[in-house]
Amino acid sequence: MAEELTLQAEHAASEAESLDDLRQVRSRFLGKKGVLSQRLKELGSLEPEQRKIQGQLVHQQKKAIEQIFISREDELKLSLYQKRLDQERIDVTLKGRYIAPGALHPLETTVRIVLGVLQRMGFEVEEGPEVEDAFHNFDALNFPPDHPAKEMQDTFFLAEPFKDKFGAPSLLRTHTSPVQIRAMEDRDPPLKIVAPGKVYRCDADVTHSPMFHQIEGFWVDKHVTFRDLKGILTELIKGVFGESIPVRFRPSFFPFTEPSAEVDMGWQNGWLEVLGCGMIHPNVLRAVDIDPNVYQGFAFGLGVERFAMLRYGIPDIRLFYESDVRFLRQLQDPLIR
Ligand code: FA5
């Protein structure tokens, strides 16, 4: 009878095809309510002499059956492992699939080149929000209340619920100059900051896009002069386009700078405007509680697309936004990361 139970256990264990099955079968024999526990309990009703003999037998049997389950478990584990090895085998002789390496967009490359030159001259990089209020985008920058740039035709105003703190609708910033205001509100001079980012205007043709990128730069300190502006911007343009590029400063007008200038660079036997600049207007400093009798500064804003078009010789600004890899691949700049 004892032999029979061991044979039954052996048979049942060998039938179990998974570790789960095996666990169930095992508890039928060895569990708390299993056959062997039952047998051990029954010993209680035997005579002491008999109990001793039977007890030894049941214990031996229990050991043997435990061993059966341990062996079967090892066997199952090994076969499952074998199965996994077969299923998950990788063919190392198979040729790898080609994953094209990514590359920076030419506009990003251009931004990094410009920032690199300015960072080497001590400018810190900072960013501002693309959704602005009229105060930071216009008023604090000394735009008069009726300035045409504020009109719906030129500026994208946002509908509810994007109201500024005065209840006026927010807008998509039309230039990066509001970063000047935010930085000066935030901290006292000296400030030497460069701020790249997206800007938005209702404007679209081969050289104008409704979304484009600008890089703002400004330096406010006690002794910043127009001479610093000229020197730094000349260095910037030569740093990006090469030493031999002719650079010209031409008087211009911006509400937030006085005097103001536009910078042209030599291009195809003529001149091409690449950025606006000037000495920060005293009213702008006053708007952020900086005393214009103590501090002065200069600021400039350049169009990234314009720089990129010149650098790569691209005739149509819209090519930058079409994500055509045949175009983008031609402009890869392996040195810029
Ligand atoms: C400004 O936006 C001034 N904030 C620049 C400035 C900053 C002046 C600080 C003085 C001090 P302007 O509107 O000219 O200026 O734009 C600057 C540059 O952005 C232009 O020279 C041009 O390169 C580029 N730009 C303007 N509009 C577009 C457009 N729709 N698409 C692409 N580039 C544009």
Side-chain angles (χ1 to χ4, degrees):
M1 193 175 124
E3 284 296 305
E4 203 185 308
L5 190 67
T6 314
L7 285 175
Q8 274 176 18
E10 214 160 52
H11 181 69
S14 72
E15 297 261 280
E17 285 302 332
S18 71
L19 291 171
D20 259 354
D21 285 353
L22 188 69
R23 221 166 286 131
Q24 280 176 23
V25 177
R26 187 182 187 281
S27 80
R28 249 176 40 218
F29 288 89
L30 295 166
K32 267 194 213 144
K33 292 184 181 156
V35 188
L36 280 156
S37 305
Q38 196 54 41
R39 296 251 160 109
L40 284 169
K41 256 183 236 158
E42 284 163 12
L43 292 176
S45 59
L46 296 178
E47 293 297 315
E49 197 55 25
Q50 271 299 339
R51 195 190 306 160
K52 202 174 162 199
I53 299 167
Q54 287 300 320
Q56 264 176 4
L57 277 175
V58 177
H59 275 293
Q60 271 169 14
Q61 200 171 31
K62 193 174 173 213
K63 280 239 159 65
I65 292 177
E66 274 170 358
Q67 198 49 55
I68 288 170
F69 282 99
I70 289 170
S71 313
R72 180 62 183 153
E73 189 177 332
D74 287 348
E75 215 173 277
L76 274 177
K77 276 185 179 161
L78 189 70
S79 88
L80 288 173
Y81 183 61
Q82 272 303 339
K83 220 183 258 170
R84 271 190 65 193
L85 276 182
D86 288 343
Q87 277 169 358
E88 295 174 17
R89 185 200 302 265
I90 51 166
D91 183 353
V92 289
T93 64
L94 201 65
K95 209 166 160 239
R97 282 197 198 101
Y98 178 70
I99 300 172
L104 292 178
H105 191 279
L107 292 178
E108 178 62 25
T109 306
T110 306
V111 169
R112 291 193 188 191
I113 292 170
V114 172
L115 295 187
V117 175
L118 289 167
Q119 280 173 306
R120 286 194 285 280
M121 294 195 277
F123 285 80
E124 281 175 69
V125 179
E126 196 162 312
E127 281 178 305
E130 287 170 30
V131 173
E132 263 299 0
D133 52 55
F135 175 76
H136 290 91
N137 196 79
F138 294 124
D139 302 334
L141 287 162
N142 199 36
F143 279 76
D146 54 353
H147 194 278
K150 285 182 172 181
E151 282 173 19
M152 301 293 278
Q153 305 93 290
D154 292 311
T155 302
F156 292 110
F157 287 96
L158 299 175
E160 297 266 14
F162 303 100
K163 296 245 168 143
D164 68 18
K165 60 182 176 216
F166 309 108
S170 302
L171 47 86
L172 294 178
R173 66 176 177 189
T174 58
H175 52 172
T176 42
S177 298
V179 183
Q180 290 179 40
I181 303 300
R182 291 191 175 274
M184 291 192 286
E185 277 176 334
D186 201 41
R187 306 193 290 289
D188 289 328
L191 294 166
K192 202 173 179 187
I193 289 170
V194 57
K198 292 188 172 67
V199 301
Y200 303 84
R201 291 181 196 176
C202 308
D203 211 354
D205 58 40
V206 291
T207 54
H208 295 85
S209 156
M211 184 283 299
F212 60 101
H213 299 76
Q214 286 190 340
I215 296 178
E216 191 83 9
F218 52 97
W219 184 9
V220 182
D221 203 344
K222 286 185 177 152
H223 308 288
V224 178
T225 65
F226 199 89
R227 194 169 55 175
D228 296 308
L229 174 145
K230 246 189 126 172
I232 283 182
L233 290 181
T234 305
E235 278 306 301
L236 171 62
I237 291 166
K238 289 184 185 285
V240 175
F241 293 98
E243 279 301 317
S244 55
I245 281 284
V247 179
R248 167 174 96 169
F249 285 73
R250 184 167 40 77
S252 183
F253 173 81
F254 297 99
F256 36 93
T257 46
E258 180 60 37
S260 305
E262 269 167 334
V263 177
D264 300 335
M265 54 181 256
W267 183 252
Q268 296 179 344
N269 299 325
W271 296 96
L272 203 108
E273 175 207 322
V274 288
L275 60 85
C277 60
M279 298 305 291
I280 297 175
H281 196 289
N283 286 350
V284 173
L285 296 173
R286 282 188 201 106
V288 288
D289 288 330
I290 292 177
D291 185 350
N293 294 316
V294 180
Y295 289 103
Q296 305 102 62
F298 72 73
F300 62 90
L302 65 85
V304 176
E305 281 77 356
R306 177 60 65 87
F307 259 51
M309 286 168 90
L310 290 170
R311 195 158 180 274
Y312 298 111
I314 306 300
D316 187 337
I317 194 170
R318 290 167 296 198
L319 285 165
F320 288 122
Y321 311 117
E322 284 171 357
S323 300
D324 184 337
V325 280
R326 290 168 305 178
F327 166 74
L328 296 173
R329 195 169 283 144
Q330 293 172 48
L331 308 187
Q332 275 182 31
D333 215 320
L335 294 180
I336 310 297
R337 302 238 168 261

